[in-house]
Amino acid sequence: MKHAFLIIAHSQYNILQVLVELLDHPKTDIFILIDKKSTMPDNICCKKSRLFFLKERIDIRWGDISQIKAELLLFKTAFAVGNYSYYHLLSGVDLPIKPINYIVDFFEKNYGAEFVGFESGDRWSYKINYYHFFTKYYKSQGRFSSTIDFFRKYLEILVNKFCKRVDDSTFIFKKGTNWCSVTEPFVEYLLSKEKFILKRFRHTMCGDEIFLQTILWNSTFRENIFLPNSEIDSCMREIDWKRGNPYVWGASSDDFKMLTNSDKLFARKFSDDFPDIIRDVRNLVDK
């Protein structure tokens, strides 16, 4: 069984190098998409895995459909290489908190399960039920962005007053963290829905946290969701939403102990601001 690790990165390449080194294994291939706005790293390497840097790059913006396009591009590129048991979507500032041999063995024992997190409730429904415009400028700054933001608000009020999104009542939208581990049969099914995804999730907010969960939930693969009642347990990623958005590991002296005692496989997220915990996780995992 081989594994494809799909990584989206835009900065802090020293963490990316640690991530690649900790994933390095004869049974893993690593695919990296560097944000088009960022410079390409020149020193990322590994010894056992095949390493692919995607030639096609995307200007990725928070909350925008470019996030969905980036993820689909990674899935599509890895699927074309093919024959992977699992496709693992990670950020360039994530790290494994278990040795790669342990991770490979875990997925072999649980083969067939889809490791996707689902958020409870529907307080996010406005992100998908209403039209959202100029999403690529949500986190931009400056006079131009302020003007766009002012125009956007009034445009959304006007459009949403007279235009309603219409969906089949049997179609259920779901949301959760976009970082996941999914099987090749599901990836093939997901890619078969690409045209629908790009059409329906255009003019939505943060659709990257909704499209994959929605496609999975409305398919026969729904029966294979791993621990569907727990967003964090289901995706097997240690993500702390209580202390941050998400919390950056290393800000507290107790963080390394928490990660050591965790039963998850990966943790999100890390920063150059806290190099000690990156070093400690590396020493813990690289045994």
Side-chain angles (χ1 to χ4, degrees), residues 253-264:
S253 59
D254 295 329
D255 284 352
F256 181 64
K257 183 178 180 181
M258 291 176 62
L259 294 179
T260 301
N261 294 331
S262 173
D263 62 351
K264 307 302 184 295

Side-chain angles (χ1 to χ4, degrees), residues 24-84:
D24 195 13
H25 189 277
K27 291 186 176 182
T28 68
D29 287 344
I30 302 170
F31 298 80
I32 301 177
L33 173 59
I34 301 295
D35 191 317
K36 193 173 183 178
K37 298 186 296 299
S38 305
T39 57
M40 288 290 293
D42 57 7
N43 59 347
I44 306 298
C45 60
C46 54
K47 297 179 180 179
K48 303 172 185 177
S49 301
R50 289 190 297 175
L51 181 62
F52 301 86
F53 280 92
L54 273 62
K55 293 182 180 180
E56 182 180 351
R57 298 169 66 192
I58 294 174
D59 180 2
I60 304 171
R61 304 295 184 100
W62 182 91
D64 184 52
I65 196 170
S66 56
Q67 292 267 9
I68 296 177
K69 291 179 178 178
E71 293 177 24
L72 287 174
L73 178 60
L74 277 165
F75 280 120
K76 190 186 304 183
T77 303
F79 185 77
V81 176
N83 198 28
Y84 297 109

Side-chain angles (χ1 to χ4, degrees), residues 72-133:
L72 287 174
L73 178 60
L74 277 165
F75 280 120
K76 190 186 304 183
T77 303
F79 185 77
V81 176
N83 198 28
Y84 297 109
S85 58
Y86 276 95
Y87 294 67
H88 310 271
L89 185 63
L90 297 168
S91 160
V93 290
D94 296 350
L95 290 175
I97 52 177
K98 293 288 188 293
I100 187 60
N101 284 328
Y102 180 99
I103 292 173
V104 168
D105 183 61
F106 174 88
F107 285 106
E108 288 183 356
K109 291 178 179 177
N110 292 278
Y111 178 71
E114 306 294 347
F115 295 85
V116 179
F118 290 82
E119 182 179 314
S120 60
D122 62 353
R123 59 188 177 87
W124 47 268
S125 60
Y126 70 95
K127 295 181 178 181
I128 194 74
N129 290 335
Y130 297 95
Y131 288 95
H132 301 269
F133 301 102

Side-chain angles (χ1 to χ4, degrees), residues 113-166:
E114 306 294 347
F115 295 85
V116 179
F118 290 82
E119 182 179 314
S120 60
D122 62 353
R123 59 188 177 87
W124 47 268
S125 60
Y126 70 95
K127 295 181 178 181
I128 194 74
N129 290 335
Y130 297 95
Y131 288 95
H132 301 269
F133 301 102
F134 303 108
T135 51
K136 67 181 295 183
Y137 298 106
Y138 272 169
K139 289 201 171 185
S140 298
Q141 296 180 346
R143 182 178 296 178
F144 175 75
S145 296
S146 298
T147 302
I148 289 291
D149 189 57
F150 177 83
F151 178 69
R152 174 184 62 81
K153 290 178 180 178
Y154 284 97
L155 177 63
E156 289 178 355
I157 291 173
L158 181 63
V159 170
N160 286 305
K161 182 177 180 179
F162 295 102
C163 300
K164 303 295 181 183
R165 288 192 181 272
V166 179

Side-chain angles (χ1 to χ4, degrees), residues 153-275:
K153 290 178 180 178
Y154 284 97
L155 177 63
E156 289 178 355
I157 291 173
L158 181 63
V159 170
N160 286 305
K161 182 177 180 179
F162 295 102
C163 300
K164 303 295 181 183
R165 288 192 181 272
V166 179
D167 292 301
D168 187 333
S169 61
T170 63
F171 197 76
I172 302 172
F173 289 94
K174 291 288 183 178
K175 178 186 178 297
T177 178
N178 52 341
W179 314 109
C180 61
S181 297
V182 290
T183 63
E184 184 162 88
F186 174 70
V187 171
E188 182 176 19
Y189 179 75
L190 179 72
L191 293 176
S192 75
K193 300 294 184 181
E194 180 177 15
K195 185 177 180 179
F196 164 78
I197 291 168
L198 294 178
K199 180 180 179 180
R200 178 57 183 86
F201 289 89
R202 187 182 180 209
H203 300 314
T204 61
M205 180 192 296
C206 300
D208 58 304
E209 298 176 342
I210 305 172
F211 84 98
L212 189 144
Q213 278 81 357
T214 297
I215 297 299
L216 177 58
W217 192 265
N218 290 275
S219 73
T220 57
F221 293 95
R222 173 179 173 178
E223 301 174 0
N224 302 330
I225 298 171
F226 185 75
L227 303 176
N229 295 323
S230 173
E231 180 181 10
I232 302 304
D233 291 338
S234 186
C235 68
M236 290 302 289
R237 283 147 172 83
E238 197 64 69
I239 308 174
D240 187 342
W241 293 109
K242 294 180 179 180
R243 292 185 291 172
N245 193 32
Y247 176 73
V248 178
W249 297 103
S252 170
S253 59
D254 295 329
D255 284 352
F256 181 64
K257 183 178 180 181
M258 291 176 62
L259 294 179
T260 301
N261 294 331
S262 173
D263 62 351
K264 307 302 184 295
L265 303 177
F266 309 98
R268 169 165 176 79
K269 64 180 182 175
F270 296 87
S271 168
D272 285 334
D273 294 335
F274 304 108

